[in-house]
Amino acid sequence: MINILLARLQQKHRTMKYPDGAPPPLPDRFRGRPVIDTAQCPEGCRACADACPTGALDPQDPGRIDLGKCLFCTDCAEACPKQAITFSQNYQLAARSRKDLLVARERQAAEVAAAALDAKYRKLFGRSLKLRQVSAGGCNACEADSNVLGTVGWDLSRFGLQFVASPRHADGLLVTGPVSRNMALALKKTYDAVSDPRIVIAVGACAISGGPYIGHAEAGNGAESIVPVDLYIPGCPPNPLTILDGLLRLIGRIEDDINFQLSTRNAQLPSKNP
């Protein structure tokens, strides 16, 4: 027993201080929000849009990026003859509305952060939000990065956020994967088993838009084809810091650096305590 206590004292405090302190350092290979220097783009060039495997870049306006489709694969950057596309260290990618993942030229440099729930929902979920994770045909990358949040370094439970085993014990769902045909009914039944009001969080490009399986006969184009979505966290897979930042902004734990207000569906939903 004494050896265990001594080891614990030597290890000290392992849980990161974020969001009260600085975020953990990101690796050099981290790919955050893509940025396009449109001044460098040759007129009429569509090399980046043609190279994108998911159509995240608009062929008519390559300066417009759909973060919900982006795989952060760098195919566009490698195809650009002027090297006008780079991936920043900006990990704040989550959004409350699907349309706010469509980043136009004038908003590429802005900090895009998810707006918090309205006051009524923050009162309900701000201190205790239980989520049932549903892997709807995913490759387990997004699932793995979500599970990391439960480790001692991240300690998601310190914010009152927890993953639970049953949808009947949950306040909402965290969905990963493109929603394969075999998982569509399971996702709908799981959603129906969560009592109102409920929250749905789509994590990863697959859950948001279908990812590389967009339009595939055996997969839906994301969770929204089956259930309404309240928070979108893009990436392939999103970094655990991106997921945590989106969740904390959703419950109002982080409220700074929000440059625009996003629409919310929850204002019209009934209260848990009528």
Side-chain angles (χ1 to χ4, degrees):
M1 182 65 180
I2 188 64
N3 291 334
I4 294 175
L5 293 175
L6 289 173
R8 183 66 186 87
L9 289 172
Q10 185 179 14
Q11 293 168 359
K12 299 183 180 179
H13 189 71
R14 288 189 172 186
T15 305
M16 68 182 68
K17 294 182 179 180
Y18 182 81
D20 296 327
L26 294 166
D28 293 338
R29 64 180 181 276
F30 173 75
R31 300 168 188 166
R33 175 175 301 279
V35 177
I36 300 180
D37 183 0
T38 52
Q40 298 294 325
C41 291
E43 185 175 354
C45 179
R46 296 181 18 166
C48 57
D50 292 340
C52 181
T54 58
L57 288 152
D58 188 343
Q60 305 303 320
D61 182 8
R64 183 180 178 88
I65 305 174
D66 186 347
L67 295 181
K69 293 181 178 181
C70 183
L71 303 181
F72 298 80
C73 64
T74 73
D75 282 2
C76 58
E78 294 172 5
C80 179
K82 296 292 185 178
Q83 298 181 334
I85 303 176
T86 57
F87 287 83
S88 71
Q89 290 276 301
N90 185 349
Y91 58 86
Q92 297 173 332
L93 304 175
R96 291 291 312 283
S97 170
R98 180 68 180 88
K99 65 181 175 59
D100 285 301
L101 292 178
L102 302 175
V103 182
R105 295 171 184 257
E106 61 274 12
R107 289 173 54 191
Q108 285 180 31
E111 293 284 340
V112 180
L117 293 167
D118 58 65
K120 178 180 67 177
Y121 266 56
R122 287 200 301 273
K123 185 176 180 180
L124 287 172
F125 301 130
R127 299 180 64 182
S128 178
L129 178 61
K130 314 299 183 185
L131 298 172
R132 175 69 171 105
Q133 200 274 323
V134 179
S135 178
C139 69
N140 287 330
C142 293
E143 292 83 346
D145 278 1
S146 299
N147 290 340
V148 165
L149 299 178
T151 62
V152 66
W154 299 81
D155 191 14
L156 187 66
S157 62
R158 62 191 161 121
F159 305 109
L161 296 164
Q162 293 180 339
F163 292 108
V164 295
S166 170
R168 299 195 183 278
H169 301 159
D171 300 306
L173 305 179
L174 187 146
V175 184
T176 55
V179 187
S180 63
R181 179 183 294 182
N182 289 337
M183 281 300 300
L185 180 59
L187 175 59
K188 182 62 168 63
K189 286 186 174 181
T190 305
Y191 176 79
D192 291 340
V194 181
S195 61
D196 279 325
R198 49 201 162 188
I199 291 173
V200 177
I201 301 165
V203 174
C206 287
I208 295 174
S209 65
Y213 308 103
I214 292 176
H216 196 284
E218 296 299 323
N221 291 334
E224 207 163 33
S225 62
I226 304 297
V227 296
V229 175
D230 299 282
L231 179 67
Y232 303 83
I233 305 179
C236 186
N239 187 278
L241 183 57
T242 298
I243 302 173
L244 179 61
D245 182 80
L247 293 176
L248 294 182
R249 292 182 186 278
L250 178 70
I251 63 174
R253 184 65 174 79
I254 303 177
E255 296 182 350
D256 59 336
D257 296 330
I258 299 178
N259 289 343
F260 56 93
Q261 293 297 320
L262 309 180
S263 60
T264 170
R265 181 179 59 88
N266 295 313
Q268 288 75 42
L269 292 178
S271 170
K272 274 192 171 181
N273 299 308

